[in-house]
Amino acid sequence: MTITAPGRVCLFGDHQDYLKLPVIACAINKRVLLSATKNNTNTLHLFMPDIHKERIIANNESFEYLEPGDHLGAAIKVLRRYGCIPSEGYNITVQSDIPINAGLSSSSAILVAWIHFLLKAFGCDRPITEQFIAQIAYEAEVKEHNSPGGRMDQYTIAIGDVLYLNTREEDSFERIGTQLEGLVVGVSGIGKNTTGVLGSVRANAEKAIAQVQTKDPSFDLYTAKRTQIQQYAPTISEALHPYFYAALENHCITLEALEAFKKDTIDYRLIGKLMYQHHCVLRDQLRITVPLIDIMIDAAMEAGAYGAKIVGSGMGGCITALTTNKNQEKVIQAIKQAGAQDAYVVKVAKGTQCHD
């Protein structure tokens, strides 16, 4: 059995999904490849050559106690609740061409592929759908570890294409496209501290919103308008102003992008412009960029990209740029010359796939 799962690029909505605000993301054609063969034992023997690790999991391991960050064990723990219980042994090799710790969700892609394998190998008490795989991955990665993240990574990777995810409602999503021409990814080579950055930004954003709601209990971030940024500014402590501004402004940008994606013909210039506006909020208000990321973004824009932005939680990782197909190579070279570890074209991809 072979399972694949894609990486993902967040186009709009970084630091939004944990606030129950919508995001737009797409799966990309960098993938995890999980290959499994029966081994006539009572163990799941994982080989992970990319990181030079092996792991053996006994079929009867329930993972009542989870080590921090053990998403593979958390998946088994969650799946047992749905009747998916390992009953045979397998040798499992996991390889990937998704950059590690770079903002393209390599760890979530591995988790989605792992869950897809377990469900196909051992079954469960309900239909196996893309949405179900996504939900299990979210429960394993976020809820079981009380993590500050949201649903974007797991749902985008499991379902694929260009996805609008309404994080306010469980399992609420819409495919809004199957391609996005001219997409480039630049890899900075600077690793991220995902949990630390997410936790800090989330805490401050929630404090700012709570201060507003203390003064006005009827305030709803989901339906708020740009004009309310200034209206509520006096009710928020000065240190929290940027977090409130970022939450509301980026929500409005995401909604504008959604309308653009729903047009009969995509206006790539507008999508790119909105991507860069989103990035400027992440850079100037949330301050989640680093100098090399800023230099890479500037280089892409100077090379003629319609727009560019940091991807993921921030403080390192990757950028993505949108340009024309003809201009992709120029943008790639500009990003590399700016100091990036790598840069390349990516395509919108399908979600997790099983090949028996």
Side-chain angles (χ1 to χ4, degrees):
M1 187 192 309
T2 300
I3 306 284
T4 66
R8 72 95 186 93
V9 165
C10 178
L11 300 168
F12 299 94
D14 301 270
H15 291 278
Q16 298 280 280
D17 55 346
Y18 53 68
L19 297 175
K20 304 298 184 184
L21 295 175
V23 299
I24 298 173
C26 68
I28 59 171
N29 60 336
K30 293 288 183 178
R31 301 185 79 90
V32 164
L33 174 66
L34 183 154
S35 302
T37 56
K38 294 181 181 180
N39 63 14
N40 298 316
T41 72
N42 290 315
T43 63
L44 303 173
H45 192 161
L46 286 99
F47 302 86
M48 296 170 277
D50 294 341
I51 56 174
H52 310 291
K53 287 186 177 181
E54 293 185 28
R55 181 175 181 182
I56 297 176
I57 299 174
N59 285 354
N60 62 359
E61 176 61 66
S62 61
F63 292 99
E64 289 307 311
Y65 171 76
L66 282 170
E67 295 288 339
D70 184 4
H71 299 144
L72 301 184
I76 292 177
K77 179 180 180 180
V78 171
L79 282 169
R80 282 181 173 274
R81 301 174 193 150
Y82 298 91
C84 179
I85 300 173
S87 56
E88 295 180 280
Y90 280 84
N91 289 336
I92 303 142
T93 300
V94 180
Q95 295 175 285
S96 173
D97 63 357
I98 306 171
I100 296 172
N101 196 28
L104 301 181
S105 289
S106 59
S107 59
S108 294
I110 290 172
L111 177 61
V112 166
W114 172 244
I115 289 168
H116 198 167
F117 156 69
L118 292 170
L119 286 167
K120 293 294 287 187
F122 306 118
C124 69
D125 60 11
R126 63 185 62 197
I128 301 170
T129 65
E130 299 165 331
Q131 296 96 312
F132 182 59
I133 293 169
Q135 179 61 26
I136 296 298
Y138 168 70
E139 290 182 24
E141 188 169 4
V142 178
K143 295 185 73 173
E144 284 298 320
H145 292 281
N146 195 27
S147 169
R151 299 174 183 269
M152 171 177 59
D153 298 350
Q154 302 82 16
Y155 275 72
T156 306
I157 291 165
I159 296 165
D161 296 325
V162 184
L163 202 69
Y164 171 77
L165 184 63
N166 178 2
T167 60
R168 199 177 203 188
E169 300 177 16
E170 190 171 304
D171 271 352
S172 178
F173 65 89
E174 179 183 358
R175 281 190 175 91
I176 57 174
T178 57
Q179 61 181 355
L180 191 62
E181 298 296 330
L183 205 58
V184 169
V185 160
V187 184
S188 72
I190 300 173
K192 310 179 296 87
N193 175 15
T194 301
T195 302
V197 175
L198 282 175
S200 173
V201 175
R202 177 175 182 168
N204 285 325
E206 289 176 340
K207 287 177 186 176
I209 295 164
Q211 287 183 5
V212 171
Q213 291 175 333
T214 297
K215 298 291 185 180
D216 181 2
S218 68
F219 175 79
D220 185 351
L221 183 63
Y222 193 80
T223 57
K225 307 297 182 184
R226 273 194 178 95
T227 54
Q228 293 178 288
I229 292 174
Q230 294 302 319
Q231 175 186 343
Y232 287 107
T235 69
I236 307 169
S237 60
E238 186 174 349
L240 296 178
H241 279 179
Y243 300 95
F244 181 71
Y245 176 89
L248 189 41
E249 177 65 19
N250 280 338
H251 179 39
C252 293
I253 290 171
T254 300
L255 295 180
E256 290 174 16
L258 176 62
E259 291 304 310
F261 271 107
K262 288 187 172 183
K263 300 287 186 182
D264 291 336
T265 302
I266 293 180
D267 184 340
Y268 280 79
R269 289 184 181 275
L270 175 58
I271 294 291
K273 177 183 176 181
L274 292 170
M275 284 172 58
Y276 186 66
Q277 287 178 3
H278 182 22
H279 171 76
C280 290
V281 177
L282 298 172
R283 180 194 66 199
D284 300 336
Q285 304 299 323
L286 298 186
R287 300 184 182 277
I288 63 166
T289 67
V290 293
L292 178 55
I293 290 288
D294 294 334
I295 293 169
M296 290 164 59
I297 294 281
D298 291 344
M301 298 297 290
E302 289 169 7
Y306 294 145
K309 64 178 289 293
I310 191 170
V311 176
S313 58
M315 304 311 292
C318 289
I319 71 165
T320 188
L322 187 65
T323 186
T324 64
N325 286 340
K326 290 182 179 180
N327 196 46
Q328 280 179 315
E329 189 56 36
K330 182 179 178 182
V331 171
I332 286 170
Q333 292 305 317
I335 293 171
K336 287 182 177 179
Q337 290 169 11
Q341 185 181 79
D342 201 1
Y344 39 75
V345 173
V346 292
K347 300 288 187 181
V348 175
K350 297 299 181 184
T352 183
Q353 305 283 310
C354 177
H355 310 276
D356 293 323

